[in-house]
Amino acid sequence: MSNAALCFQVDQKVVYPSQGVGIILSIEEKEFRNEKILYYVIYLEVSDMTIMVPVDKAEGLGIRAIVTEEEALQALTLIGEDYDPIPSDWKLRYQMNLDLLKKGSVMDIAAIVRSLYHRSKVKELPILERKLYDSALKLLEDEVSFSLKKNKDEVETMIFNRLESK
């Protein structure tokens, strides 16, 4: 039996980096290779998928609690702020943003949305980068809407209003 401390509880909303917001349905013990392992059973609404994550691997995978209202508002503020120029080499930019997405903090995701949105205004994004932008935008909308208890359309409008203010 693994001794991993439970970081999350049943019915808690969590963020699984690059997958989206999920809710912990249960915490179950399963046998794997003759060892009893504790798993979080997480339902991801965005992909209508239920996944099992070993409790002792959750932190390493970057699973975290949904941000507070204050942190969600900080991310929205970040979108409307000035930013450092990003590399013009799209492969370098893509790798940089992919690394940020994997880290999965709401501020990192907001930074990706902001830089790629403004980059797309200068020049159309390559397909891979466009997909990364779409994923980051979706993740940001999901988490902020849960955090602020607003619907996704409302949050999308808030995001684009801030992006356009630059």
Side-chain angles (χ1 to χ4, degrees):
M1 169 74 189
S2 81
N3 302 343
L6 291 177
C7 299
F8 310 112
Q9 50 231 326
V10 174
D11 289 336
Q12 184 175 356
K13 287 188 174 72
V14 294
V15 175
Y16 190 143
S18 75
Q19 297 295 319
V21 175
I23 186 162
I24 297 181
L25 298 177
S26 60
I27 300 168
E28 299 176 10
E29 190 177 82
K30 298 268 187 212
E31 199 165 302
F32 181 71
R33 294 188 180 156
N34 297 326
E35 196 183 330
K36 289 193 185 298
I37 297 178
L38 213 50
Y39 289 89
Y40 290 119
V41 178
I42 305 171
Y43 174 68
L44 298 166
E45 186 186 338
V46 66
S47 51
D48 191 24
M49 190 166 68
T50 302
I51 56 172
M52 293 179 74
V53 176
V55 167
D56 56 358
K57 300 260 191 290
E59 192 179 334
L61 289 169
I63 294 176
R64 60 176 174 76
I66 200 163
V67 293
T68 62
E69 193 174 323
E70 184 182 343
E71 289 169 298
L73 291 171
Q74 284 173 345
L76 288 174
T77 300
L78 175 79
I79 289 175
E81 291 174 351
D82 286 329
Y83 56 96
D84 295 331
I86 53 175
S88 56
D89 175 357
W90 82 267
K91 289 179 188 145
L92 188 66
R93 205 171 51 228
Y94 179 76
Q95 193 54 56
M96 233 172 60
N97 285 322
L98 195 59
D99 293 343
L100 278 180
L101 191 66
K102 286 178 187 163
K103 281 177 31 191
S105 89
V106 74
M107 296 306 270
D108 290 336
I109 292 167
I112 294 168
V113 169
R114 175 182 65 185
S115 68
L116 291 182
Y117 174 81
H118 291 294
R119 178 71 194 172
S120 74
K121 292 292 181 204
V122 176
K123 187 175 183 207
E124 191 176 339
L125 297 173
I127 291 170
L128 275 177
E129 213 171 21
R130 178 77 209 182
K131 286 182 176 169
L132 183 74
Y133 168 75
D134 291 342
S135 294
L137 181 60
K138 180 116 191 55
L139 290 168
L140 187 63
E141 284 173 5
D142 266 6
E143 185 165 8
V144 170
S145 68
F146 277 110
S147 184
L148 300 180
K149 295 172 183 59
K150 292 183 182 293
N151 71 43
K152 289 185 178 82
D153 291 341
E154 225 178 317
V155 170
E156 186 180 6
T157 302
M158 291 166 77
I159 290 171
F160 282 107
N161 285 344
R162 284 185 168 83
L163 286 168
E164 292 292 334
S165 69
K166 269 285 130 227

